[in-house]
Amino acid sequence: MTDSKKKLNIAMIGHGFIARAHSNAFHQVGRFFPVAYDLNLRVICGRNRPNLEAMASQWGWHEVATDWQEVVNRSDIQVVDIAVPNALHASIAIAAAQAGKIIWCEKPLAMSLKEAEAMAEAVKQVPNLVWFNYRRVPAVAFAKRLIEEGHLGDIFHYRAWYLNQSGNDPSKAAGWRYTRAEAGSGATGALLSYAVDLALHLNGKISELCATTHTFARGRDVDDAAMLMVRFANGSVGTLEASRYGVGCRNRNAFEINGSKGMVKFDLEDMNRLEFFDATQAPNLQASRNLLVTGPDHPYSENFWKPGHAIGYEHTFIATLGDFLQSLERGRRFRPDFDDGVAVHRILDAVEKSAQAGAWVKLGDAR
């Protein structure tokens, strides 16, 4: 039998933790999603050849390379996956776009709003995505469905927090993520960007915000924590918080949404569950339900395991990639793309301006 799938040769730039998550998704997506493409892990690129060779051996990459410019311009490469420090995102993405490649990029999209806008302009003619993978957590996708179906009614409050304790661990606090020259920002880009993307995705445009940032470590030139109050275009108000000094929190990416008809609450540390409160029931029946969002009739329950069988962090990348490849086959726009990455950066830019000025900042076209 002839294999009718189109082959896509992937070049991945980067070989750290997140590159492992991507590599796993490349191998697994065709096993869980009916995709029309055969992903070939052609070449992995980075600066440390011994680490590259170990990564290639473990994850099935055919080649290693140390020159990303040469790799991006290879005629046998159809996809460039960007999994490197933020400072390199723009140069790689723009070069890949000029070479006509499909582009997948880690978040935050860029070092600054201006850089993100240049990247989005460059990729207008090529398929692209930003790895805001938490949109594809089934419980998050189900929360989105409940909101769209009107189960929460008019939204009053949106509150979110993304907390970990990495900044309080000296062994983790000296890498590129803690320098402005390589990361662009600290907890704002690394953590708050995720919370902002979910806020925009679930609750819509932010019209204005007031923020403060703080650095706990002496001499560090990026923020360790950020807190902001926001007003949404739908009339609701919210608070968002991110910190690398949330001691006691491993990876607490959480939100709670209160509306006239109900409430939903999610925490990534218990990612297969969604708390739901139905305020339309009789008062003597009202209570929070702890829903196990693994099916039946839950997002991605047909792609992964039978109801009651939990999934993990890695499945969010598989689902992101599966949805992208199905959008690519059908010629449809995939979300989140680079324009969505720019929308997040508009908020992050406003956070920095507000924190510096100590004042509210209006957002014109943030979405």
Side-chain angles (χ1 to χ4, degrees):
M1 174 181 280
T2 302
D3 186 356
S4 61
K5 290 189 176 183
K6 179 180 178 181
K7 179 176 288 188
L8 292 178
N9 287 331
I10 303 173
M12 183 166 67
I13 319 299
H15 54 84
F17 159 74
I18 207 66
R20 294 163 56 202
H22 292 194
S23 297
N24 180 70
F26 302 156
H27 282 295
Q28 298 293 339
V29 65
R31 297 181 172 98
F32 291 103
F33 285 79
V35 296
Y37 302 92
D38 178 21
L39 303 186
N40 181 32
L41 283 62
R42 186 70 260 162
V43 57
I44 182 170
C45 181
R47 291 176 291 190
N48 187 313
R49 183 169 285 274
N51 287 352
L52 277 175
E53 291 175 349
M55 178 82 176
S57 175
Q58 182 174 5
W59 290 97
W61 289 91
H62 297 295
E63 301 176 38
V64 300
T66 56
D67 184 347
W68 69 258
Q69 289 98 334
E70 185 272 331
V71 167
V72 163
N73 286 291
R74 279 174 46 165
S75 61
D76 64 328
I77 297 299
Q78 287 80 48
V79 181
V80 173
D81 183 45
I82 303 171
V84 291
N86 304 341
L88 292 172
H89 287 189
S91 54
I92 296 173
I94 292 171
Q98 292 171 345
K101 312 299 184 184
I102 297 167
I103 304 170
W104 305 333
C105 187
E106 260 303 323
K107 48 56 57 194
L109 183 60
M111 296 278 282
S112 66
L113 173 59
K114 182 178 180 180
E115 197 173 72
E117 289 174 335
M119 293 169 69
E121 182 64 29
V123 304
K124 283 189 179 298
Q125 302 305 316
V126 297
N128 60 88
L129 75 76
V130 181
W131 288 102
F132 280 119
N133 53 297
Y134 294 133
R135 289 193 186 194
R136 263 67 187 188
V137 175
V140 174
F142 192 53
K144 174 75 168 173
R145 184 195 297 179
L146 292 174
I147 294 166
E148 291 178 340
E149 291 177 350
H151 292 282
L152 268 62
D154 297 326
I155 305 301
F156 299 137
H157 293 283
Y158 186 101
R159 57 184 63 85
W161 51 102
Y162 199 155
L163 312 174
N164 69 33
Q165 59 185 34
S166 58
N168 197 46
D169 182 350
S171 70
K172 295 183 178 180
W176 66 265
R177 290 177 177 83
Y178 293 85
T179 62
R180 180 170 290 274
E182 292 187 90
S185 65
T188 300
L191 302 179
L192 186 65
S193 61
Y194 278 122
V196 168
D197 179 68
L198 286 184
L200 298 178
H201 179 57
L202 296 171
N203 202 38
K205 295 180 181 179
I206 292 173
S207 55
E208 58 182 329
L209 63 83
C210 184
T212 185
T213 59
H214 188 77
T215 301
F216 293 102
R218 292 181 179 179
R220 184 174 292 161
D221 63 352
V222 296
D223 58 280
D224 291 324
M227 304 173 69
L228 54 151
M229 299 180 292
V230 301
R231 294 190 177 101
F232 289 88
N234 65 6
S236 63
V237 296
T239 59
L240 286 81
E241 178 184 2
S243 177
R244 286 169 165 163
Y245 282 77
V247 176
C249 304
R250 296 297 185 185
N251 195 36
R252 189 165 297 173
N253 182 9
F255 61 79
E256 179 179 312
I257 310 171
N258 309 103
S260 60
K261 294 182 180 180
M263 176 274 290
V264 292
K265 185 176 182 179
F266 169 78
D267 186 343
L268 185 66
E269 292 184 341
D270 193 11
M271 66 173 284
N272 286 279
R273 294 188 178 273
L274 181 72
E275 186 176 339
F276 172 61
F277 181 91
D278 185 353
T280 67
Q281 289 191 314
N284 61 348
L285 295 176
Q286 290 180 12
S288 291
R289 308 177 198 172
N290 195 334
L291 303 176
L292 182 62
V293 189
T294 58
D297 191 30
H298 288 144
Y300 304 108
S301 60
E302 296 298 318
N303 298 99
F304 297 123
W305 313 126
K306 290 184 177 182
H309 293 72
I311 65 168
Y313 171 74
E314 71 275 16
H315 293 87
T316 65
F317 292 91
I318 296 168
T320 299
L321 187 55
D323 286 349
F324 175 87
L325 293 174
Q326 290 180 334
S327 296
L328 182 66
E329 179 187 4
R330 297 164 187 164
R332 298 176 181 173
R333 180 186 178 187
F334 172 82
R335 309 286 296 274
D337 59 10
F338 276 34
D339 285 338
D340 292 304
V342 170
V344 170
H345 266 286
R346 288 195 183 104
I347 306 302
L348 302 187
D349 183 68
V351 166
E352 185 173 3
K353 290 177 178 176
S354 175
Q356 290 175 350
W360 283 86
V361 172
K362 292 186 180 296
L363 280 298
D365 56 353
R367 48 194 173 105

